[in-house]
Amino acid sequence: MSGNDRSGKIVELISSSAFEEAFQEKVRNRRWAVALVTFGISLVGLWLMFDVMGAGGWTTLKGVEVLLFGLLFTSLSFGFSQAFLGFLVLAEGNEPLKITNTLDEETPLASTAVVMPVYNEDAETVFGSIRSLYDSLQERGELDSFDFYILSDSTDPSKAVEEELGWADICRQTNGFGRIHYRRRKLPVNRKSGNIADFCRRWGHRHRYMIVLDADSIMTGKAVSSLVRLMEVNPRAGIIQTLPRLIRARTVFGRIQQFASRLYSSIFAAGLNFWQQEGGNYWGHNAIIRISPFLCSCGLPGLPGKEPLGGRVLSHDFVEAALMRNAGWGVWFAYDLEGSYEGLPPNLTEYVKRDRRWCQGNLQHMWFLLAQNIRPISRIHLVQGILAYVSAPLLVSFVLMGALQAGLDHLNSRVGIFPSASAGVLFLMTVTLLFGPKVLSLIHLFSRPKEVAAFGGPVRVMGGAILETLFSVLTAPVLVWFHTRFVLRNLAGKTVVWHTQTRESGDGPSWNEVIREYWPLPILGIVLSALAWWISPDYLLWLSPLLVGLILAIPVAHFSCHTNFFGKLFVTPEELNPPKELSGDFRLQLREGDQFVHAVLDPLYNAVHVALQRKRETSSAPSSDYGVSLAMKLFQEGPDALTAQEKRALLTDGHTLAYLHTLIWRTPAEMMHPAWSKALAMYRSAKRRREQEPGLIEAKLAGVESAVT
Amino acid sequence: MAVSPEYIALLRVGIRSSPEWKEAWDRINDYLDALKTPDSRDRELILLASFERAIARKRGEPFTPATELAFEETQKTLDSSLGHLIDAEVPGMRRSVEERVRLYLTENVDGNLLGREDELSDEVLQALREVKLQAAPNLQVASIKQRPLEFTLAGKGFIGLAKKLSPMGASRIIAWLIGLAILGFLIFSSLYK
């Protein structure tokens, strides 16, 4: 049977009404199971909380506290239920309802665009990812079905030139002209979602699918071709999301996150797929999208009001998944498809900075909860996203209400607010919900000796797990503090500024920067500790996990940036035995320094840049007056004379840039800004630098003379 | 490219005699370095041929800087060497750009195609003639359908309520007062239970 025939049979089977009915029945049962476990646990917790709170008589504060507890505890139970059911699925070992069951390696591929939106990113990281995927597909003989698009929104002129030259270099290295494409928008309208939409408008009809990658994503050739095959055999699938493994972390924070994610995410992912099935979510990258329904159904609506909560949709992914589901297309989670990776913020500060954007994006999703035609399952995803941030101020309110009540009780000389039995059981339950998934993950791992070995052995796994738990306890209050600030700022109408992430480890923030960002936390921690001690030493003990995290926030945040700790701990299978795609060390052959200056001076870079500008701007059309005035300003006042905006404008005027290049090279040093003559010397070869003395020139000329006569 | 000993002698005299020509010599060498032109006999020939003509021109154009003359003549030398790879209709400055693109594309550890054209096959030369640097494919335009967000009745009610309340939230003082009033109520009602 040929690949086409076999795939046709699978498609036929999946599309049959009997299959669909049986499938829907099973999915319904699964969702009931999750609801049952979640609400079962929550009700027990609430009952215990009623018992604890009611013991000393009811007050308004206690009523509010119970309400907040109900919300937070249900959210916690939902996470635990997912992990628990995921654990059972993995323990059973045979999940019949997962999309990867339909994968057939013989299925023919279809035209697919691999798209990577970038914004002032490191060009070597971007093109390194593209290169590894390109090579991987080439090795598999599947390159013909794929085109690669680097979709730039970069506003930094030096970065923009670097990307352009990076594109030319990678094409030259791989002979990828016509297969690897680069496009930079002049204006980053609607940011990442606008960037993707712009791609769809320009080349949407060129491909059947697009695989969206982030600038720090890496996928193997096998993974992307598997995604295309899964799409081909599942004609109702609109999006298939993979589970990206975190990679390439070097800092303490990054390696701990990477280790934790690798160790614990499997059971959560299996649990997520267990109940969501074709009603899954899209995380914005490392996923494949069927372009045609995306064009028809996923145009993002404008939101009422202005930013931060209104205006343009910031976090487009959840919304696109919801719109795709509305249109009747499936959104699947290929949680067990190997070969999908992504980077992560290198330290706590960068992580928090990313959360600042995500918080605003998720809060905007509340509009979709009020909208018509959003499926219940999509609403659950949206609520989960919102709660990921709103739970922080809820938790803060819960703790403050508790502290207030305890303080009032202390003033009124009322004691004994915690009946030992119920409070103890509730405490144990909470601890189980918080740390149970970690324990389940470890049980799952230790039942597979080969996987334990892939993590570096049982000692490393256990050591890593214990330290990771301690670290997460210390950092949790810091995240709660920042999330609370972000939510409140957004609700107060403050817009989040779009900052670039530092994806590489780098040096991390200095002590000064950390103190400037984190100083309120230890003060808050000390004040709360004093208050708690005043209420009762027992109460201080009760709050201590939260308070220690606050007091130690500054050293923990600084420590999280270090790269030379725990070298032998927190290892992941991808570190010990990296796949080929992760072990390549890609280097662009670019000159060092400001790439904008090189675009003016370097004859080769200048030519590549000018040739890439639109034909009408570089052939016979005269340059704009504005372009010429910028060029003259640059010529007379040196490379630093222009603002970033002016540099961007000049870069688009190829004709003027070519003229400026010639002008600088042919002008004697005394007639132009000294910075240019200094910059020109950068291009002198090392050999000629040694031959600067006039005597040597003489000798050289004599040599040439004898050679040609 | 034939260069007679007389011209080399002339060049030697010129460079020795004048700082202006020395600067021109350094500048053009820097330019050839930037073009990744290997330190070979061909490079020397480019230099000599260009300076030969530049020095000759200087006699007729004494006020034109030597660097400018040398650069222009170097461009002409490069053009005569690479010009056959560029379509005749490509205009002036664009020709130089296209030539440099071809040097970029053929660049490797040994240099680029300057002076090595004999080593290139006819197919490669033909490909170089036809090459057109294009970063993105031709458009195949599509449109994305954008539908406005339609709210449920409850949603509309909520939005209406939010609009009515938003002036209170817009004022920091009122927002703080409301917050403190709620907190005060909570404490007060819990204090006297």
Short mmCIF file of all heavy atoms in Angstrom, two decimals, chain A residues 251-274:
data_model
loop_
_atom_site.label_atom_id
_atom_site.label_comp_id
_atom_site.label_asym_id
_atom_site.label_seq_id
_atom_site.Cartn_x
_atom_site.Cartn_y
_atom_site.Cartn_z
N THR A 251 22.44 29.51 33.34
CA THR A 251 22.41 30.13 34.67
C THR A 251 21.73 29.20 35.67
O THR A 251 21.07 28.23 35.28
CB THR A 251 21.61 31.44 34.63
OG1 THR A 251 20.31 31.13 34.13
CG2 THR A 251 22.26 32.47 33.73
N VAL A 252 21.90 29.53 36.94
CA VAL A 252 21.25 28.74 38.00
C VAL A 252 19.75 28.70 37.75
O VAL A 252 19.13 27.63 37.72
CB VAL A 252 21.55 29.37 39.38
CG1 VAL A 252 20.69 28.74 40.45
CG2 VAL A 252 23.02 29.20 39.72
N PHE A 253 19.17 29.87 37.52
CA PHE A 253 17.72 29.95 37.33
C PHE A 253 17.30 29.14 36.10
O PHE A 253 16.37 28.33 36.17
CB PHE A 253 17.31 31.42 37.12
CG PHE A 253 15.86 31.60 36.84
CD1 PHE A 253 14.94 31.64 37.87
CD2 PHE A 253 15.39 31.73 35.54
CE1 PHE A 253 13.59 31.79 37.61
CE2 PHE A 253 14.04 31.88 35.27
CZ PHE A 253 13.15 31.91 36.31
N GLY A 254 18.01 29.34 35.01
CA GLY A 254 17.64 28.66 33.77
C GLY A 254 17.76 27.16 33.89
O GLY A 254 16.87 26.42 33.46
N ARG A 255 18.83 26.70 34.55
CA ARG A 255 19.03 25.25 34.63
C ARG A 255 18.02 24.61 35.56
O ARG A 255 17.54 23.51 35.31
CB ARG A 255 20.46 24.95 35.05
CG ARG A 255 21.46 25.49 34.00
CD ARG A 255 22.83 24.90 34.10
NE ARG A 255 22.81 23.49 33.80
CZ ARG A 255 23.21 22.55 34.65
NH1 ARG A 255 23.66 22.89 35.83
NH2 ARG A 255 23.17 21.28 34.32
N ILE A 256 17.65 25.32 36.60
CA ILE A 256 16.62 24.78 37.51
C ILE A 256 15.28 24.69 36.78
O ILE A 256 14.58 23.67 36.84
CB ILE A 256 16.52 25.64 38.80
CG1 ILE A 256 17.78 25.46 39.64
CG2 ILE A 256 15.28 25.27 39.59
CD1 ILE A 256 17.84 26.33 40.89
N GLN A 257 14.95 25.75 36.05
CA GLN A 257 13.68 25.74 35.30
C GLN A 257 13.69 24.64 34.24
O GLN A 257 12.70 23.95 34.04
CB GLN A 257 13.48 27.09 34.59
CG GLN A 257 13.26 28.27 35.51
CD GLN A 257 11.98 28.15 36.29
OE1 GLN A 257 10.94 27.81 35.76
NE2 GLN A 257 12.06 28.40 37.58
N GLN A 258 14.81 24.52 33.58
CA GLN A 258 14.94 23.52 32.52
C GLN A 258 14.77 22.11 33.09
O GLN A 258 14.06 21.28 32.53
CB GLN A 258 16.34 23.71 31.92
CG GLN A 258 16.73 22.77 30.83
CD GLN A 258 18.12 23.11 30.32
OE1 GLN A 258 18.28 24.09 29.59
NE2 GLN A 258 19.12 22.35 30.68
N PHE A 259 15.43 21.89 34.23
CA PHE A 259 15.36 20.57 34.88
C PHE A 259 13.93 20.29 35.34
O PHE A 259 13.38 19.21 35.09
CB PHE A 259 16.32 20.57 36.07
CG PHE A 259 16.22 19.38 36.97
CD1 PHE A 259 16.81 18.17 36.60
CD2 PHE A 259 15.55 19.44 38.18
CE1 PHE A 259 16.72 17.07 37.43
CE2 PHE A 259 15.46 18.35 39.02
CZ PHE A 259 16.06 17.15 38.64
N ALA A 260 13.32 21.29 35.99
CA ALA A 260 11.97 21.09 36.53
C ALA A 260 10.99 20.83 35.39
O ALA A 260 10.14 19.93 35.47
CB ALA A 260 11.55 22.33 37.32
N SER A 261 11.11 21.61 34.34
CA SER A 261 10.19 21.45 33.23
C SER A 261 10.33 20.06 32.59
O SER A 261 9.35 19.39 32.28
CB SER A 261 10.46 22.55 32.19
OG SER A 261 10.02 22.17 30.94
N ARG A 262 11.58 19.63 32.45
CA ARG A 262 11.83 18.31 31.82
C ARG A 262 11.30 17.19 32.68
O ARG A 262 10.77 16.20 32.19
CB ARG A 262 13.33 18.16 31.59
CG ARG A 262 13.73 16.92 30.81
CD ARG A 262 13.22 17.01 29.40
NE ARG A 262 13.70 15.94 28.57
CZ ARG A 262 13.11 14.75 28.46
NH1 ARG A 262 12.03 14.48 29.17
NH2 ARG A 262 13.60 13.83 27.65
N LEU A 263 11.45 17.38 34.01
CA LEU A 263 11.07 16.32 34.94
C LEU A 263 9.55 16.26 35.16
O LEU A 263 8.96 15.19 35.21
CB LEU A 263 11.80 16.56 36.27
CG LEU A 263 11.70 15.50 37.36
CD1 LEU A 263 12.24 14.17 36.87
CD2 LEU A 263 12.49 15.94 38.59
N TYR A 264 8.94 17.43 35.29
CA TYR A 264 7.55 17.45 35.74
C TYR A 264 6.52 17.66 34.63
O TYR A 264 5.34 17.43 34.84
CB TYR A 264 7.34 18.56 36.79
CG TYR A 264 8.29 18.51 37.97
CD1 TYR A 264 8.91 19.66 38.43
CD2 TYR A 264 8.56 17.31 38.61
CE1 TYR A 264 9.79 19.63 39.52
CE2 TYR A 264 9.45 17.26 39.69
CZ TYR A 264 10.06 18.42 40.13
OH TYR A 264 10.92 18.37 41.19
N SER A 265 6.96 18.14 33.47
CA SER A 265 5.94 18.53 32.49
C SER A 265 5.23 17.35 31.84
O SER A 265 4.10 17.49 31.37
CB SER A 265 6.57 19.42 31.40
OG SER A 265 7.53 18.70 30.67
N SER A 266 5.87 16.19 31.84
CA SER A 266 5.27 15.05 31.12
C SER A 266 3.89 14.70 31.64
O SER A 266 2.95 14.52 30.86
CB SER A 266 6.17 13.82 31.20
OG SER A 266 7.40 14.12 30.64
N ILE A 267 3.77 14.60 32.97
CA ILE A 267 2.47 14.17 33.50
C ILE A 267 1.41 15.26 33.33
O ILE A 267 0.25 14.97 33.05
CB ILE A 267 2.55 13.67 34.97
CG1 ILE A 267 2.97 14.79 35.91
CG2 ILE A 267 3.44 12.47 35.11
CD1 ILE A 267 2.73 14.41 37.38
N PHE A 268 1.85 16.52 33.45
CA PHE A 268 0.89 17.62 33.22
C PHE A 268 0.41 17.61 31.77
O PHE A 268 -0.77 17.81 31.49
CB PHE A 268 1.54 18.97 33.54
CG PHE A 268 1.55 19.31 34.99
CD1 PHE A 268 2.72 19.21 35.73
CD2 PHE A 268 0.41 19.72 35.64
CE1 PHE A 268 2.75 19.52 37.08
CE2 PHE A 268 0.42 20.04 36.99
CZ PHE A 268 1.60 19.93 37.71
N ALA A 269 1.37 17.37 30.86
CA ALA A 269 1.02 17.39 29.43
C ALA A 269 0.08 16.25 29.09
O ALA A 269 -0.92 16.44 28.37
CB ALA A 269 2.29 17.29 28.59
N ALA A 270 0.36 15.06 29.64
CA ALA A 270 -0.51 13.91 29.37
C ALA A 270 -1.90 14.18 29.96
O ALA A 270 -2.92 13.83 29.35
CB ALA A 270 0.10 12.65 29.96
N GLY A 271 -1.94 14.80 31.13
CA GLY A 271 -3.22 15.12 31.77
C GLY A 271 -3.99 16.17 30.99
O GLY A 271 -5.22 16.10 30.85
N LEU A 272 -3.25 17.12 30.45
CA LEU A 272 -3.89 18.18 29.65
C LEU A 272 -4.55 17.58 28.41
O LEU A 272 -5.70 17.88 28.08
CB LEU A 272 -2.81 19.19 29.26
CG LEU A 272 -3.23 20.55 28.74
CD1 LEU A 272 -4.06 21.27 29.79
CD2 LEU A 272 -2.00 21.40 28.42
N ASN A 273 -3.80 16.73 27.75
CA ASN A 273 -4.35 16.09 26.55
C ASN A 273 -5.52 15.19 26.91
O ASN A 273 -6.47 15.05 26.13
CB ASN A 273 -3.26 15.27 25.85
CG ASN A 273 -3.79 14.56 24.63
OD1 ASN A 273 -4.12 15.19 23.64
ND2 ASN A 273 -3.91 13.25 24.71
N PHE A 274 -5.46 14.60 28.11
CA PHE A 274 -6.50 13.66 28.55
C PHE A 274 -7.89 14.29 28.46
O PHE A 274 -8.83 13.69 27.98
CB PHE A 274 -6.20 13.22 29.99
CG PHE A 274 -7.23 12.32 30.59
CD1 PHE A 274 -7.22 10.96 30.35
CD2 PHE A 274 -8.23 12.84 31.41
CE1 PHE A 274 -8.18 10.13 30.91
CE2 PHE A 274 -9.19 12.02 31.98
CZ PHE A 274 -9.16 10.66 31.72
#
